[in-house]
Amino acid sequence: MQNQIASRAGFTLAHLPLLGAGSSRTESLASYVLRLAHAHGYRPNDFIKLLAPLSGQAERDAGQWIGQFLDTRFSDEASVLACWVPLLEQLTGVSGLAVATLGTWGSLLTRRGSDAVVRQWCPHCLEDGHRSGGAHMHLLWSVGLVQACPHHGTELESVCPHCGAGRTPSGRPAKRFAMHAPGVCASCGGWLGTVDPRQPQASPREIPQASNHAVCVAEQIGTLIARPLGPEESLRVHCTLNVAKDRYFGGSMVELARWIGLGKSTVHGWLSGEVVPELRRLVELALKLRVPLGDLVRGCTDSLPLSLTSGSAGLKSYVRAEPRPDEKRADLRQLFETRPDLSIREMARLLGMNPRDVYYYEPELARAHSDARRMEQSEAREAVLDEAAQGVMTHLARVESVGECTTVRDLRAAAANEAPSLSYADQQRVVTEVLKDWAA
């Protein structure tokens, strides 16, 4: 098969080994494609266009593959596992590239809510890889629940520190982020690690520390990435839960459901094996039971402690079922002091809690933070509307000076040129108000 595709393509690709395989630092398939393109002197988009006709899906053009490559879907969709993994294995001669995707875990890591919305990375990991000559993007960073680096205990980044790429004009995280090579921003060519090569004398950037809970979640999911599910293995969460029910709750499903905090019907579906909990629930169960997540989903009961208060099952000492209220408050205060740019929802996501809990544990700080952000957003919005109005007035003055006619569409375009982030309704509002003032 390899000779057939190589002869049909008329070329072969460099034999690049997959970096970090067998650990939580396993390279993602998107990062592997970036390194292949760089090794052959191609830009990533041109490299995708070169290989797209060989993917075996004639109904999808190169543009669709490029769009998928620019976000995190290139590491989790079934079409990538079915088309691109065999293609790259055959052209490079490297086997086992399926572990560079989340598809080895079926729908567990790729179902809605588990895949990352934005492309994210750890600057410290990129810097470590750069020093060792193997900078790459980790597959772990493609999972949406992962918001911290389990190796450095810092938050993951999704915005270029040099040009701001990765954030929309409205300030929201962008769904797509282009790179020339792993860790190199395509917009400005800046290095996404902690040390800027263009300023070697400057001190390394400081990356905010993540909460203990976020690090625990990343470490647990890393056990899945380090050891993918084999072709003959299946998810056996129900086996682990049934042993835990018998060992800790005297065989009572009611007591187990009360301890988990869910209804009996939900827990019954888990125990029967008819339903597999979503990834967020599995991580919570692994932390509560103090077992590695990989053992929980495989049904390995040897790592279950004799009681819920004994042992840590080989996890780090700070792993716990649920942070105590005083620890949650301390983590929240730290975020309020060090990351005032975050919204309440983003803070809650970093700490693994509900946004309502933020108002419960720190009501005064949360309200003051929300009021301050609301005022900032209101002032920023008014400034944008003023810029758009100024652009419309400039356009009207120019048209009137030369005696030409104009249309509402031209006025909306003038507003959009000054403020590209404005919606259609806002553009219409600005034009209407300017015309009223102009007529008066």
Side-chain angles (χ1 to χ4, degrees), residues 24 140 143 145-156 209-225 279-294 296 312-324 327 331 349-352:
S24 59
L140 179 65
V143 183
L145 289 182
V146 177
Q147 298 294 313
C149 175
H151 308 290
H152 300 95
T154 55
E155 298 177 3
L156 299 183
Q209 290 292 315
S211 66
N212 289 342
H213 183 271
V215 175
C216 291
V217 171
E219 188 177 50
Q220 287 281 20
I221 298 178
T223 63
L224 302 183
I225 302 296
L279 181 61
R280 186 182 299 276
R281 294 292 186 188
L282 288 174
V283 173
E284 293 175 358
L285 285 172
L287 293 178
K288 281 177 173 288
L289 293 172
R290 307 182 74 83
V291 298
L293 182 58
L296 172 65
S312 61
L315 298 180
K316 289 185 177 180
S317 58
Y318 55 69
V319 175
R320 47 190 176 270
E322 292 181 357
R324 296 192 299 272
E327 295 171 340
D331 289 339
R349 186 180 183 187
L350 285 175
L351 297 178

Side-chain angles (χ1 to χ4, degrees), residues 413-427:
N417 289 335
E418 292 296 328
S421 61
L422 280 186
S423 64
Y424 178 87
D426 287 336
Q427 295 173 10

Side-chain angles (χ1 to χ4, degrees), residues 320-349:
R320 47 190 176 270
E322 292 181 357
R324 296 192 299 272
D326 56 339
E327 295 171 340
K328 289 185 177 181
R329 291 189 178 96
D331 289 339
L332 279 173
R333 292 193 195 101
Q334 181 183 1
L335 279 180
F336 279 124
E337 293 175 0
T338 60
R339 298 299 305 276
D341 58 307
L342 295 180
S343 65
I344 295 295
R345 185 178 297 275
E346 291 170 335
M347 289 184 182
R349 186 180 183 187

Side-chain angles (χ1 to χ4, degrees), residues 41 49 55 207 221 300 308 312 323 379 413:
K49 292 178 182 178
S55 64
I207 311 301
I221 298 178
C300 301
L308 290 178
S312 61
E379 292 176 353

Side-chain angles (χ1 to χ4, degrees), residues 121-155:
W121 57 85
C122 171
H124 289 293
C125 289
L126 290 177
E127 202 65 47
D128 293 344
H130 179 67
R131 294 193 190 101
S132 61
H136 62 283
M137 303 291 289
H138 297 184
L139 180 62
L140 179 65
W141 303 337
S142 300
V143 183
L145 289 182
V146 177
Q147 298 294 313
C149 175
H151 308 290
H152 300 95
T154 55
E155 298 177 3

Side-chain angles (χ1 to χ4, degrees), residues 13-28:
L13 298 177
H15 186 87
L16 295 181
L18 189 69
L19 299 177
S23 68
S24 59
R25 300 175 185 265
T26 299
E27 182 177 19
S28 67

